[in-house]
Amino acid sequence: MGDCESMAPQLEGEENLIAAAKHIVRALGSNKNLTKDVKKILADLGSQLSTMATIDDEGVEGLKSGIEEHLSVVEEKIMSWETDESMIWDSGPDEAFEYLSAVDEARKLIQGLENRCLNGEGEKELLRRAHDVLQLAMQRLEEEFKYLLVQHRQPFEPEHMSFRSSEDDGVDVGSMVSFGDESFEESARRDSVSRTSEECIIDLVHPDVIHDLKCIANSMFMSNYDHECRQAYVIVRKDALDECLFDLEIEKFSIEDVLKMEWGTLNSKIKRWVRAMKVFVRRYLASEKWLCDQIFSELGSANFVCFVEAAKAPMLQLLNFAEAISIGPHQPEKLVRFLDMYEVLADLLLDIDALFPDEAGSSVKVEYHEVLKRLADSVRATLVEFKNAVATNTSTNPFAGGGIHHLTRYVMNYLRLLVDYKDTLNLLLKNDGSVPVLLSPDSSPSTEDESTSNDFSGGVSAMTLHLQSLTSILEANLHEKSKLYRDASLQHFFLMNNIHYMAQKVKNSELRVIFGDKWIRKHNWKFQQHAMDYERATWSAVLSFLKDESNSSNSSISRTLLKERLRSFYVAFEEVYRMQTAWLIPDVQLREDLRISTSLKVIQAYRTFVGRQMYHIGEKHIRYSADEMQDYLLDLFEGSQKSLHNPHRR
């Protein structure tokens, strides 16, 4: 405020203006029953003349009286609502307009009085009264502002989001001790949310009251009650944002709470978090920013400040959950969920940078980037844990029936799921440098070296190297497990089953693109080798009794020897039948192929022997016909042990 002389108007020489002013003052003094309209006109004039400090004593007293009258009119309008329990904006647009006009008049009176030289106690008292009136009005406007925001809030309905139905679909995928089974694939399947359901600005407050909210905000800001206005907005909208998280079924947990959760519970909560995150950021926060812009667009940076203050706590709540997940144990069954969380945060990165661009939002943005980095580290650490778990998975007993081991099923289904994340994994593994190239136990160094060289020259991806490394570790483990069988034929049978399963999983899924046809051909050759090794180990000794040894077949010793050899063959065959009906080949085609291959060798040798030696042996010593033998071979590899009980057995 400048000094009095500099602010006083230069009135010397303006006798007519002064005379008119004196006339108005005298008229005011003699007339005590002025109408309300006249009082308002004179009060407006008084506000303008209040800056003129050189009017004589009579004029000053008159202007003071006019300002007081004006203030009384404004005060009466504002105080009339203090005893009224109804809301101003519920009473119609005219009442709302009149109230805002009264507030505007109070503000102008204060400005006028503050621009005067307040020498007397009377003028200072007027200023105090005006401030009190304005403060009451601001308190009322704050209440009206909150009321409009709450009363006209639009319900948020996250379409296409079946959260409750998905809560119980999380199956505990087991630990790396048992390595689960086929159910792992179903329980760990990635979640996705349609972008069409995410990206849509919605009216969080009914459009009809946006203008009213804007008018109240403008009035409060112009009256230097901007802090109170922002605070009112933030309180109401923060509650709305919290309710949105509740609708999305996001609960508030401490880091300790998260770390104590059982995996089955945590798994379903992560799935909910992933689904809710995109909806909350792309739909709700984007709409919240739009609401702030509509109300505070003419008030500088207020729109941004209000948005950040309202959104900060809910965003940090979401990020705290992700942080708790990232610092928890890196168990292999959590990898898919880590990837889901990483991908949703990476996908929303540009949205977050746009919503929180300046210094006011830096705390949210910095925390967001930090959590994203921690999740990336968690993915890498979990992959390492998975490799170690596969490598160190030990068994004390051989796997019953020589079938497909749980470890094989778990690992291959695990790898199938990772194909959905190939772009993310390639990005995270590209510069990791932790993908070793391992030799499988039965492969020659030259073969592996050639394969590796070709892979690198072909520009193989980081993910391909990583998955091939995992399968090499799995094969090494399976070879160790095969040594638990005392029977060499069962060792090869077990490896045939498991390597065949690996090859089929790659061939018949998206893994084929990752591993390539060369890997498939190589592993087809491996399981076929084990099939041939099984046949040699099982049937060479059995069929040795049927070898054609053309000695003197007329002697009684030769006949006795032939009968003994045939009897030994039957004993050996029946033992194979008893043992290998309990062995299992789960794959129908592989089971059929091995039966046919075995049948061709066994039945051909049996038919030849019996056909040549029938005369010397005698029909009564033939326990089974060739057709019966062939039928018995069809009982093998069903996983259900049987024995032969022939009534003609000798």
Side-chain angles (χ1 to χ4, degrees):
M1 186 185 301
D3 59 35
C4 294
E5 284 75 16
S6 64
M7 293 181 61
Q10 303 299 316
L11 297 179
E12 289 84 353
E14 298 182 1
E15 293 85 356
N16 292 335
L17 181 60
I18 294 174
K22 288 182 178 181
H23 179 74
I24 291 171
V25 170
R26 281 194 296 274
L28 287 171
S30 61
N31 193 338
K32 302 298 183 180
N33 298 312
L34 296 176
T35 65
K36 185 181 289 188
D37 289 342
V38 172
K39 286 181 180 180
K40 187 176 187 309
I41 292 171
L42 292 174
D44 288 341
L45 177 61
S47 295
Q48 295 181 39
L49 294 176
S50 64
T51 59
M52 300 179 180
T54 57
I55 298 178
D56 60 17
D57 292 342
E58 185 179 359
V60 168
E61 286 301 316
L63 288 175
K64 180 180 175 182
S65 175
I67 292 171
E68 188 171 4
E69 288 284 349
H70 189 186
L71 179 58
S72 296
V73 172
V74 171
E75 188 175 30
E76 180 183 350
K77 179 64 179 175
I78 289 172
M79 291 300 295
S80 68
W81 283 99
E82 292 303 304
T83 57
D84 194 332
E85 293 184 359
S86 61
M87 303 304 290
I88 299 172
W89 265 260
D90 283 348
S91 302
D94 292 340
E95 287 294 339
F97 176 76
E98 287 184 16
Y99 193 87
L100 285 176
S101 297
V103 173
D104 189 51
E105 293 299 326
R107 186 176 66 255
K108 287 179 180 178
L109 280 171
I110 290 172
Q111 289 174 346
L113 287 168
E114 287 178 341
N115 287 336
R116 288 175 55 82
C117 295
L118 302 179
N119 296 319
E121 279 300 315
E123 290 183 338
K124 291 179 181 179
E125 178 60 27
L126 283 178
L127 182 58
R128 280 193 291 270
R129 273 183 63 196
H131 273 299
D132 290 343
V133 169
L134 186 63
Q135 185 175 10
L136 277 175
M138 290 298 107
Q139 290 173 352
R140 183 57 186 245
L141 285 182
E142 184 178 339
E143 291 177 16
E144 297 282 338
F145 191 66
K146 288 180 179 178
Y147 175 79
L148 289 176
L149 284 171
V150 172
Q151 202 67 18
H152 297 276
R153 201 173 92 193
Q154 301 275 74
F156 175 67
E157 298 177 357
E159 297 90 344
H160 315 299
M161 303 295 292
S162 302
F163 291 100
R164 294 196 186 278
S165 64
S166 67
E167 180 175 358
D168 299 325
D169 65 0
V171 180
D172 189 348
V173 297
S175 68
M176 295 306 288
V177 176
S178 64
F179 272 91
D181 54 23
E182 299 278 4
S183 65
F184 172 79
E185 180 178 2
E186 190 66 28
S187 63
R189 184 176 292 124
R190 73 186 301 172
D191 290 300
S192 62
V193 180
S194 164
R195 291 184 70 91
T196 57
S197 69
E198 304 154 14
E199 299 174 344
C200 177
I201 299 295
I202 55 177
D203 291 315
L204 300 177
V205 173
H206 200 285
D208 290 350
V209 299
I210 295 297
H211 176 72
D212 297 329
L213 290 166
K214 186 174 181 179
C215 289
I216 294 174
N218 287 347
S219 180
M220 293 185 74
F221 270 68
M222 290 174 67
S223 303
N224 294 322
Y225 279 77
D226 49 309
H227 173 74
E228 289 77 3
C229 183
R230 287 196 300 266
Q231 190 175 46
Y233 180 90
V234 169
I235 289 172
V236 173
R237 293 309 305 164
K238 184 181 177 299
D239 287 343
L241 288 166
D242 288 340
E243 189 169 325
C244 171
L245 290 182
F246 178 80
D247 291 339
L248 295 172
E249 299 181 27
I250 297 299
E251 303 167 72
K252 188 175 290 186
F253 297 110
S254 67
I255 290 178
E256 291 75 17
D257 291 335
V258 175
L259 294 177
K260 290 176 183 176
M261 281 184 193
E262 294 293 329
W263 171 238
T265 302
L266 189 58
N267 184 38
S268 63
K269 294 194 182 301
I270 293 174
K271 290 165 74 175
R272 269 197 234 149
W273 183 92
V274 168
R275 293 172 180 173
M277 192 71 185
K278 283 189 178 182
V279 175
F280 186 73
V281 172
R282 285 217 169 109
R283 293 200 67 186
Y284 209 92
L285 287 192
S287 299
E288 186 68 39
K289 184 68 166 61
W290 167 241
L291 178 62
C292 284
D293 291 344
Q294 287 178 292
I295 297 173
F296 300 106
S297 59
E298 299 173 1
L299 301 172
S301 62
N303 59 332
F304 179 68
V305 173
C306 287
F307 168 74
V308 170
E309 288 303 310
K312 183 176 180 179
M315 271 303 301
L316 291 178
Q317 177 186 336
L318 288 165
L319 293 175
N320 285 342
F321 178 80
E323 181 183 7
I325 296 297
S326 71
I327 65 178
H330 299 133
Q331 295 156 329
E333 63 265 29
K334 296 181 180 178
L335 179 58
V336 169
R337 294 292 165 247
F338 285 147
L339 285 163
D340 285 336
M341 297 181 80
Y342 176 86
E343 284 194 345
V344 77
L345 290 183
D347 186 43
L348 293 172
L349 193 56
L350 293 179
D351 300 80
I352 293 297
D353 287 346
L355 288 169
F356 301 94
D358 298 327
E359 185 176 349
S362 62
S363 60
V364 174
K365 189 162 63 174
V366 167
E367 180 66 15
Y368 192 95
H369 283 258
E370 184 61 28
V371 170
L372 184 64
K373 180 179 179 296
R374 287 175 185 164
L375 283 171
D377 292 340
S378 295
V379 169
R380 297 187 190 98
T382 306
L383 285 168
V384 172
E385 285 293 318
F386 184 48
K387 279 187 175 183
N388 292 338
V390 174
T392 58
N393 179 265
T394 57
S395 302
T396 55
N397 297 309
F399 190 71
I404 300 165
H405 199 280
H406 296 317
L407 176 64
T408 310
R409 293 183 186 275
Y410 189 97
V411 171
M412 296 311 297
N413 285 321
Y414 199 96
L415 299 191
R416 257 182 67 182
L417 287 170
L418 296 185
V419 176
D420 287 343
Y421 304 90
K422 60 179 179 296
D423 293 336
T424 299
L425 286 170
N426 274 325
L427 177 67
L428 296 179
L429 294 171
K430 185 183 296 182
N431 301 315
D432 189 36
S434 63
V435 183
V437 178
L438 301 181
L439 302 183
S440 57
D442 63 340
S443 62
S444 65
S446 60
T447 304
E448 279 298 319
D449 289 346
E450 180 184 353
S451 172
T452 303
S453 173
N454 290 340
D455 285 342
F456 275 111
S457 65
V460 71
S461 69
M463 181 181 175
T464 297
L465 289 176
H466 188 88
L467 298 195
Q468 287 182 348
S469 171
L470 268 168
T471 56
S472 294
I473 292 171
L474 173 60
E475 284 184 64
N477 190 298
L478 291 172
H479 275 270
E480 288 301 311
K481 286 178 171 24
S482 72
K483 295 174 184 177
L484 295 172
Y485 298 106
R486 296 179 180 178
D487 187 341
S489 60
L490 190 50
Q491 292 180 6
H492 293 296
F493 185 86
F494 172 77
L495 291 171
M496 172 200 70
N497 260 328
N498 284 269
I499 295 175
H500 174 268
Y501 180 85
M502 293 170 64
Q504 290 300 110
K505 275 290 182 182
V506 171
K507 179 182 176 182
N508 298 325
S509 72
E510 300 87 349
L511 286 170
R512 182 168 196 155
V513 178
I514 305 296
F515 282 83
D517 290 340
K518 183 177 180 179
W519 186 96
I520 296 171
R521 287 193 300 271
K522 178 179 176 181
H523 284 74
N524 282 340
W525 176 84
K526 283 185 178 182
F527 86 74
Q528 288 164 4
Q529 282 294 117
H530 285 298
M532 288 188 290
D533 290 341
Y534 150 78
E535 288 184 337
R536 278 194 293 268
T538 297
W539 295 105
S540 292
V542 176
L543 296 181
S544 67
F545 295 113
L546 303 181
K547 283 184 180 178
D548 184 14
E549 296 178 359
S550 301
N551 293 327
S552 177
S553 56
N554 292 325
S555 67
S556 59
I557 297 177
S558 296
R559 288 176 180 170
T560 302
L561 181 59
L562 288 171
K563 291 174 186 177
E564 181 60 29
R565 284 171 55 193
L566 182 59
R567 191 190 69 78
S568 298
F569 167 77
Y570 286 141
V571 170
F573 180 85
E574 288 166 2
E575 180 63 14
V576 169
Y577 182 89
R578 186 184 69 81
M579 294 293 295
Q580 297 195 13
T581 49
W583 296 6
L584 176 65
I585 300 179
D587 185 85
V588 175
Q589 188 61 53
L590 179 61
R591 184 166 65 237
E592 187 65 22
D593 289 346
L594 191 58
R595 283 171 175 170
I596 291 172
S597 176
T598 300
S599 181
L600 287 173
K601 295 178 177 65
V602 174
I603 302 305
Q604 179 62 36
Y606 183 68
R607 276 200 175 107
T608 300
F609 181 84
V610 171
R612 288 180 178 178
Q613 308 298 342
M614 175 66 81
Y615 175 78
H616 303 291
I617 297 172
E619 187 174 349
K620 66 178 182 177
H621 294 285
I622 305 299
R623 296 183 191 175
Y624 313 110
S625 69
D627 289 341
E628 287 176 326
M629 294 280 289
Q630 191 159 350
D631 289 340
Y632 293 145
L633 289 173
L634 295 179
D635 290 338
L636 301 183
F637 320 135
E638 291 283 357
S640 177
Q641 191 170 51
K642 298 178 181 179
S643 297
L644 291 175
H645 302 287
N646 193 300
H648 303 296
R649 183 168 181 171
R650 300 289 188 270

